Amino acid sequence: MYKDLFIKQPIMRKVIYSLVPIYLFSLYNYGWRVLALSAVIFPLGILTEYVVEKTRGKKVSEAVLVTCMLFVLILPPAIPLWIAAVGIIFGVFFAKEVYGGFGRNIFNPAISARIFVWISFPAIFANGFMRPGAFGTLSQAGIDAVSAGTPLALLDRGEVPAFMDVLLGFTGGSMGETSAVLIILAGIYLVITKTAQWRLIVGTLIGAGGVMTALYYSGMSPNYPPEYAILSGSILFVAVFMSTDPVSAPNKPVAQWLYGIIIGAVSIIIRNLAGFPEGTSFGVLIGNVFASLLDELVTKKKKAAPVPATAEGVKA
Amino acid sequence: MSDTAVKDPGAILKTNLWTSNPIFVQVLGICSALAVTNLLTNTMIMTVGVVFTTAMSSLTVSLMKSFIPRKVRMVVQTLIIAFYVIIVDIVLRAYLPEVSRNLGPYVGLIITNCIIMGRAEAFAQSNGPILSFWDGMTSGLGYMGVLLAIAFVRELLGFGSLFGMRIFPEGFTPWTIMVMPPSAFFLIGLIVWVGKTIMHRQGEPVT
Amino acid sequence: MNKQSLGYTIVFSFIVCFAFVLVLSVTHQATRDQVQLNQELRTKRAVLRALTIEFQNDEEVLELFAEIETVTRDGMELFRLTQDGETRYAGIFGGAGLWGPINITLAVDGSVETIIGLDIIDHNETPGLGGRIDERWFQEQFRGLRLVDGGLQLIRDGNTEGEDGKADAITGATGTSMSMDRILNQTLRDLRSALGGEA
């Protein structure tokens, strides 16, 4: 049954394994909401891919499971279920299937899904954050909005949250992006098992860290000390799970460095200097746009020599 | 029927509304399709303006074609189109000030809508006035149909209303993205896709 | 006659331009009064809304507006309405929003201690976020709002109903809310210095 439905993809399985601890942690923080969202997102994501792939006579890729899992983890906990449904259908259909399915998509489906619902329903997103811990019983969405502010919102106001909370992940935020420790461990696992390309992760962090430090010390964005800014919000999560998406990232080493740096730098520039708080999501999408171009540029440089030579030959 | 007729009116109608629809086959006039389609009322008035302009400018070009020197042909066509667009703009400003404000510069930009120039150059220049009028009008209608379909979805989801009348109850959460131009990209994409799929099934040559 | 000759081309172009422009000018002249009336009505409607005066149609707008005097203070054109012994002032103001200018009409009492009403004439803010300054709930919270130290604050994440000098900001629209805060306070300062002599 399972074999009839899915294409086996060992790399995608490893990504899922690495996400399990983060998923469990979000389960502790937000309780049944995580399960409810998963119950909506997974079936709909798989169904969307199944319906389209069936017309092509192909099976569903296991990558869609990663997309669904990532999408669950980058949502705010108190988001209404129907919005999650709209998001995953949009993400899988428009960002992946329209381009021809697995391996052909330009944009990361989970991020596209998030951006789509975030732009569509900004007010609900802003009210969707909750105080974490004790299986989601600590606060009601909206009512306790102040104490449930994300670390970035607190930093915006000039309040600095406790460093250990930020490091361990006991802060408000999207469900899976808060625990720096778990994300770093997952990243190490992915790099060791050669699932994720370390250049992409490091590149993203260098891009983000560099711009952040520059902004902090030049006084343009003095509320964000770099060490906080990199640990809170979704920079780490994006570096480990989004930049490394093998489909939408470039393949050449130099291109990978540049790609990571673009994502990191753009994320921070948008987050701190533009009107939108969703810096990292836009950063990834903008990075995606350049992925194949970077590969192309890097390749061109190496091949540049023989091409004019042949042209000369024809002339002569 | 005019003696210069090369096609019959039925064929023109089908071509302009369907097989070479200006939006989803020729992909012309996309700028306004993105910009003005978030409210049905505005879209309706805008597209009526386009239908009027294409029909009348095709008619006028056709009537004048034997007098126009070749060197200034395009300039005269542009002048004729601009003339009708300004008429539309003046009428809107005087009698529908709210709509005129909402449409902003897009009424003036009808001039740059390639559909109109395209019909004037490709059809009216070599056909009789009545057929040209018909050709211009149906081209405009093809444009109108697609834009109204987009506006239908955008207003329904973006505001929960149709032609300003509330359809969904108060508690409805509007989809902000539908109010913004990018959503029209997705919708036009879908329309192109559906349109071409149907044409393919019907065995029409897909361009 | 040779239709491709230079002379014909020039004469033809001249006649065509002349004919079309003539028709356009006539149309423009014929509708000029109507266009002007529309613009006046827009301003008057906005002023009446800021003064929280109800109206049904355009005739009523003109009728009600007839009771309002136009005065100039510090080079500002203000609209003064005296009713039941109280004097109220309204004016058209503007400032920079997040994406473009925001133009408002604001009405205050004679001593600039209470806001009578606010109306947003036009803006280019993000739909669904900053664009919500258009919505009734946002504008109505300024009705009869008593100022504190001559100013007001837009508060994020709160429920400020019934509190003096405070109004709710728009969730998720920090940029626009900050702009509105700035525009309103600047307008109030200008009004106070302009109306300071009276009271």
Side-chain angles (χ1 to χ4, degrees):
Chain A
M1 164 67 194
Y2 183 84
K3 270 186 188 165
D4 295 334
L5 191 59
F6 285 95
I7 309 166
K8 200 180 159 201
Q9 289 173 312
I11 289 193
M12 292 303 161
R13 289 194 180 175
K14 282 184 192 129
V15 179
I16 294 178
Y17 299 151
S18 74
L19 282 165
V20 166
I22 298 172
Y23 190 83
L24 292 176
F25 180 70
S26 69
L27 207 57
Y28 165 72
N29 276 339
Y30 301 109
W32 63 268
R33 286 174 208 274
V34 184
L35 296 176
L37 282 169
S38 310
V40 168
I41 289 170
F42 278 88
L44 282 175
I46 296 167
L47 185 72
T48 310
E49 180 150 338
Y50 175 76
V51 168
V52 185
E53 289 299 335
K54 192 153 192 241
T55 64
R56 301 194 179 111
K58 287 184 189 165
K59 289 191 268 186
V60 176
S61 61
E62 282 179 350
V64 76
L65 300 178
V66 175
T67 301
C68 291
M69 190 121 171
L70 288 173
F71 185 53
V72 171
L73 293 175
I74 54 182
L75 286 175
I79 195 113
L81 296 177
W82 68 270
I83 290 184
V86 170
I88 191 68
I89 293 173
F90 176 87
V92 174
F93 185 77
F94 272 100
K96 185 172 178 190
E97 292 308 322
V98 161
Y99 290 94
F102 176 77
R104 293 163 194 265
N105 48 306
I106 301 171
F107 298 104
N108 184 313
I111 289 285
S112 311
R114 181 186 154 101
I115 285 282
F116 184 77
V117 288
W118 182 77
I119 293 178
S120 295
F121 313 105
I124 293 176
F125 254 68
N127 284 329
F129 296 105
M130 294 166 59
R131 198 136 52 117
F135 301 99
T137 52
L138 289 183
S139 70
Q140 285 292 312
I143 295 173
D144 213 0
V146 181
S147 60
T150 64
L152 288 180
L154 294 176
L155 285 166
D156 245 346
R157 275 176 247 167
E159 298 167 28
V160 178
F163 187 74
M164 279 313 279
D165 279 353
V166 172
L167 188 65
L168 293 174
F170 294 103
T171 51
S174 295
M175 288 188 287
E177 70 180 25
T178 53
S179 175
V181 170
L182 288 179
I183 295 170
I184 292 168
L185 288 176
I188 293 171
Y189 168 79
L190 289 176
V191 169
I192 290 176
T193 56
K194 297 211 163 57
T195 315
Q197 178 49 253
W198 64 274
R199 287 186 206 97
L200 294 166
I201 302 180
V202 178
T204 308
L205 294 179
I206 289 176
V211 176
M212 218 131 46
T213 316
L215 288 178
Y216 183 65
Y217 288 108
S218 66
M220 281 173 81
S221 188
N223 282 347
Y224 294 85
E227 70 273 19
Y228 274 97
I230 214 151
L231 291 176
S232 49
S234 48
I235 282 287
L236 264 180
F237 192 86
V238 159
V240 172
F241 296 108
M242 299 299 180
S243 310
T244 57
D245 172 12
V247 177
S248 53
N251 302 316
K252 307 280 180 311
V254 182
Q256 287 176 335
W257 281 113
L258 288 171
Y259 176 77
I261 289 170
I262 288 176
I263 292 183
V266 170
S267 298
I268 298 305
I269 290 170
I270 294 181
R271 178 201 278 178
N272 290 18
L273 301 180
F276 291 96
E278 291 297 300
T280 49
S281 304
F282 285 117
V284 174
L285 288 189
I286 291 174
N288 287 164
V289 175
F290 288 102
S292 0
L293 183 68
L294 288 172
D295 260 349
E296 184 96 2
L297 285 179
V298 173
T299 330
K300 277 257 171 66
K301 260 182 209 158
K302 280 175 191 163
K303 281 187 183 165
V307 175
T310 46
E312 285 280 320
V314 171
K315 231 189 236 172
Chain B
M1 180 164 287
S2 163
D3 53 353
T4 51
V6 286
K7 289 177 187 168
D8 71 292
I12 293 174
L13 180 72
K14 192 183 174 207
T15 311
N16 286 341
L17 286 188
W18 182 241
T19 44
S20 52
N21 181 292
I23 297 275
F24 71 81
V25 179
Q26 302 183 47
V27 199
L28 296 175
I30 294 300
C31 175
S32 51
L34 299 179
V36 299
T37 50
N38 61 9
L39 287 172
L40 271 168
T41 314
N42 292 352
T43 313
M44 189 75 183
I45 289 163
M46 170 83 183
T47 49
V48 166
V50 173
V51 172
F52 170 81
T53 316
T54 7
M56 292 309 289
S57 53
S58 278
L59 174 72
T60 316
V61 168
S62 180
L63 282 173
M64 288 173 60
K65 64 178 186 286
S66 52
F67 304 103
I68 304 174
R70 259 217 334 272
K71 269 176 258 173
V72 293
R73 192 186 71 236
M74 299 285 255
V75 180
V76 173
Q77 285 170 1
T78 315
L79 178 79
I80 293 168
I81 295 165
F83 169 76
Y84 285 111
V85 171
I86 295 171
I87 296 261
V88 170
D89 193 33
I90 290 176
V91 169
L92 285 184
R93 255 190 295 171
Y95 302 106
L96 291 165
E98 272 307 304
V99 176
S100 167
R101 272 180 39 74
N102 283 333
L103 294 177
Y106 291 99
V107 176
L109 285 175
I110 294 177
I111 297 171
T112 63
N113 193 321
C114 333
I115 299 166
I116 306 169
M117 192 79 178
R119 288 338 287 173
E121 182 67 12
F123 196 95
Q125 197 64 39
S126 50
N127 284 287
I130 296 168
L131 261 191
S132 297
F133 178 83
W134 177 246
D135 174 75
M137 192 172 94
T138 48
S139 273
L141 289 174
Y143 171 84
M144 182 185 214
V146 177
L147 258 67
L148 284 178
I150 297 170
F152 179 85
V153 179
R154 288 183 67 186
E155 183 172 349
L156 192 64
L157 293 177
F159 296 93
S161 60
L162 291 175
F163 286 107
M165 279 186 311
R166 187 147 273 291
I167 300 292
F168 290 130
E170 277 300 318
F172 171 74
T173 313
W175 297 34
T176 306
I177 197 165
M178 289 295 169
V179 184
M180 307 207 276
S183 64
F185 270 121
F186 296 115
L187 294 171
I188 290 179
L190 279 179
I191 288 176
V192 171
W193 184 38
V194 170
K196 296 231 162 149
T197 308
I198 296 173
M199 278 179 206
H200 201 66
R201 293 242 168 97
Q202 288 176 343
E204 300 268 0
V206 176
T207 43
Chain C
M1 186 167 50
N2 180 9
K3 282 195 201 133
Q4 309 306 332
S5 74
L6 187 64
Y8 177 84
T9 308
I10 291 173
V11 173
F12 175 86
S13 306
F14 181 79
I15 293 172
V16 167
C17 285
F18 183 80
F20 280 114
V21 172
L22 183 73
V23 177
L24 281 183
S25 317
V26 171
T27 329
H28 178 69
Q29 283 300 324
T31 57
R32 204 174 57 172
D33 292 347
Q34 184 66 38
V35 172
Q36 212 162 14
L37 179 69
N38 288 338
Q39 274 163 358
E40 271 171 38
L41 274 171
R42 245 179 84 66
T43 319
K44 289 178 178 175
R45 270 196 291 262
V47 168
L48 286 179
R49 270 200 291 265
L51 286 164
T52 64
I53 298 170
E54 306 277 331
F55 55 85
Q56 303 296 329
N57 51 37
D58 293 351
E59 284 84 59
E60 262 186 62
V61 171
L62 295 176
E63 208 174 287
L64 287 164
F65 202 84
E67 292 169 27
I68 296 171
E69 304 166 75
T70 308
V71 291
T72 309
R73 293 272 183 284
D74 269 7
M76 272 197 278
E77 194 188 35
L78 295 175
F79 304 95
R80 182 167 64 190
L81 175 70
T82 312
Q83 217 173 25
D84 309 329
E86 277 183 54
T87 314
R88 294 163 168 189
Y89 290 91
I92 297 165
F93 308 95
L98 184 62
W99 301 119
I102 299 178
N103 288 312
I104 60 169
T105 44
L106 185 72
V108 294
D109 66 344
S111 50
V112 201
E113 278 167 358
T114 307
I115 291 181
I116 306 294
L118 167 74
D119 187 59
I120 308 283
I121 305 176
D122 48 34
H123 68 84
N124 298 306
E125 302 310 292
T126 327
L129 280 172
R132 297 181 68 202
I133 53 175
D134 261 347
E135 288 176 16
R136 263 195 119 83
W137 68 266
F138 181 79
Q139 296 177 14
E140 273 182 2
Q141 50 177 349
F142 295 95
R143 269 196 189 193
L145 183 75
R146 289 193 60 80
L147 302 173
V148 172
D149 298 330
L152 58 85
Q153 267 183 302
L154 287 177
I155 307 289
R156 299 216 294 190
D157 306 327
N159 188 355
T160 59
E161 210 180 319
E163 283 185 68
D164 286 352
K166 285 180 185 166
D168 291 345
I170 295 166
T171 315
T174 317
T176 303
S177 298
M178 275 171 8
S179 304
M180 279 307 291
D181 193 300
R182 206 177 48 239
I183 293 169
L184 287 171
N185 282 310
Q186 182 62 45
T187 304
L188 288 168
R189 271 195 297 278
D190 292 349
L191 275 170
R192 192 163 320 99
S193 73
L195 297 171
E198 292 182 67

